[in-house]
Amino acid sequence: MQPLDVLRSRPHTSVSEIKTFITCPRKHSYTYVDRIKPDFRPVALSFGTAWHVAIGQYLLRGISTEETTDLFRDVLARDVLDGETPVVFEDAEDLGECIDLGTRMVDAFIGAVHRPDHVLGVEMAFSIELEDGKTGELLDTPLIGSIDAIVIDNDKPAVWELKSSKKRWSADQLENDLQVTAYRLGARVLEVDDPALTLLVTTKAQKPAVQVEHVTRTERDENELVKIAASVMRAVDAGVDHPIRSWACKGCPYSGRCC
């Protein structure tokens, strides 16, 4: 499989794009069609990037807790301070508080999650051909993404999805998360058949905790994801871009231009 940046250099869609369209077609249009520069980036995006890099390298290379924390700090600081788009913090937090929070979360993760027997890779890129459920034809736009980690534990393959979250995931989130379904499809493309699917959700709290959830996905779930993706692509091609007014508008980086 080609590197993720090479795959993304060609027209494609992603789970993030699909979820953005479902949440608000107008935001999707600004982001993926018009490619308008947002007014700001929520710090949660920078935090998530730093979290994935740091924990990914901890798993892949076996670096120490201190090295993992240092890597988290460096990636977060660089993303916040050197990016072209200003990063907006929540409430009264600042960069130092986010770094302190990440340090506590790294300690919690390493203390709660055992190191797997073998790590096949992190951020493993995949490309899935999408079939139009109405016509049976393959779409020109593949679904591209990368799996947080594929590991071997107790002689069995497993896909690990690494999340940082303000709170534990609900049963509905665990059942309906499209990303996990895409990971199952992506693992098959990478010739990893029938892996266990594990979500590792580390909470952003004064005392972080790690929620370990083993979830299941079926062929029906996979077919539904493909149908949703194809439907979204048809809607985008048709020019659907209406706004959806909700609580999310307050924190939207395009709220200043959306009318």
Side-chain angles (χ1 to χ4, degrees):
M1 185 63 64
Q2 294 175 312
L4 186 60
D5 57 345
V6 174
L7 292 175
R8 284 178 172 168
S9 67
R10 297 188 290 270
H12 67 279
T13 189
S14 65
V15 170
S16 294
E17 178 176 0
I18 293 166
K19 291 167 71 173
T20 298
F21 184 90
I22 292 171
T23 302
C24 180
R26 177 66 55 81
K27 182 179 180 181
H28 172 276
S29 182
Y30 286 151
T31 305
Y32 295 98
V33 179
D34 302 327
R35 298 191 180 278
I36 296 173
K37 182 179 178 180
D39 293 335
F40 61 87
R41 289 185 72 222
V43 70
L45 294 180
S46 298
F47 194 102
T49 296
W51 181 254
H52 278 87
V53 171
I55 298 301
Q57 290 304 300
Y58 164 75
L59 294 174
L60 187 64
R61 295 168 46 210
I63 60 178
S64 68
T65 301
E66 182 179 0
E67 290 171 315
T68 305
T69 299
D70 289 345
L71 181 57
F72 173 86
R73 179 199 63 216
D74 293 344
V75 174
L76 178 60
R78 183 169 61 249
D79 199 71
V80 168
L81 300 175
D82 296 343
E84 295 182 1
T85 304
V87 172
V88 173
F89 292 89
E90 297 181 4
D91 303 322
E93 67 183 1
D94 57 24
L95 178 57
E97 289 172 330
C98 286
I99 291 172
D100 290 343
L101 172 60
T103 298
R104 298 195 301 273
M105 290 171 64
V106 167
D107 288 341
F109 183 92
I110 293 177
V113 179
H114 75 276
R115 192 184 298 279
D117 298 332
H118 182 57
V119 179
L120 297 181
V122 299
E123 297 298 326
M124 298 185 70
F126 62 84
S127 178
I128 301 168
E129 298 296 330
L130 298 175
E131 181 180 292
D132 190 316
K134 293 187 175 181
T135 67
E137 297 179 353
L138 289 179
L139 300 181
D140 294 333
T141 307
L143 176 69
I144 288 174
S146 62
I147 298 174
D148 292 347
I150 299 181
V151 307
I152 302 293
D153 206 23
N154 295 322
D155 296 324
K156 296 180 180 179
V159 164
W160 284 9
E161 182 175 2
L162 308 171
K163 291 291 186 183
S164 57
S165 176
K166 284 187 174 181
K167 56 184 180 181
R168 290 173 57 88
W169 274 34
S170 67
D172 285 343
Q173 284 177 289
L174 295 169
E175 182 179 354
N176 298 309
D177 180 41
L178 294 177
Q179 191 73 66
V180 179
T181 308
Y183 280 0
R184 189 172 190 260
L185 282 165
R188 187 177 304 123
V189 170
L190 296 172
E191 300 183 347
V192 179
D193 292 327
D194 196 28
L197 304 173
T198 303
L199 271 79
L200 301 166
V201 183
T202 307
T203 58
K204 298 176 178 178
Q206 186 62 36
K207 292 184 177 180
V210 182
Q211 178 186 4
V212 180
E213 298 284 355
H214 304 287
V215 299
T216 59
R217 291 294 187 269
T218 65
E219 184 178 352
R220 179 178 179 181
D221 296 317
E222 294 179 356
N223 292 337
E224 182 179 59
L225 171 60
V226 171
K227 289 179 181 178
I228 291 172
S231 178
V232 167
M233 291 300 98
R234 286 196 300 270
V236 171
D237 289 342
V240 175
D241 66 349
H242 60 275
I244 294 181
R245 303 301 182 191
S246 72
W247 59 268
C249 293
K250 183 178 179 180
C252 178
Y254 298 106
S255 60
R257 69 170 61 241
C258 185
C259 60

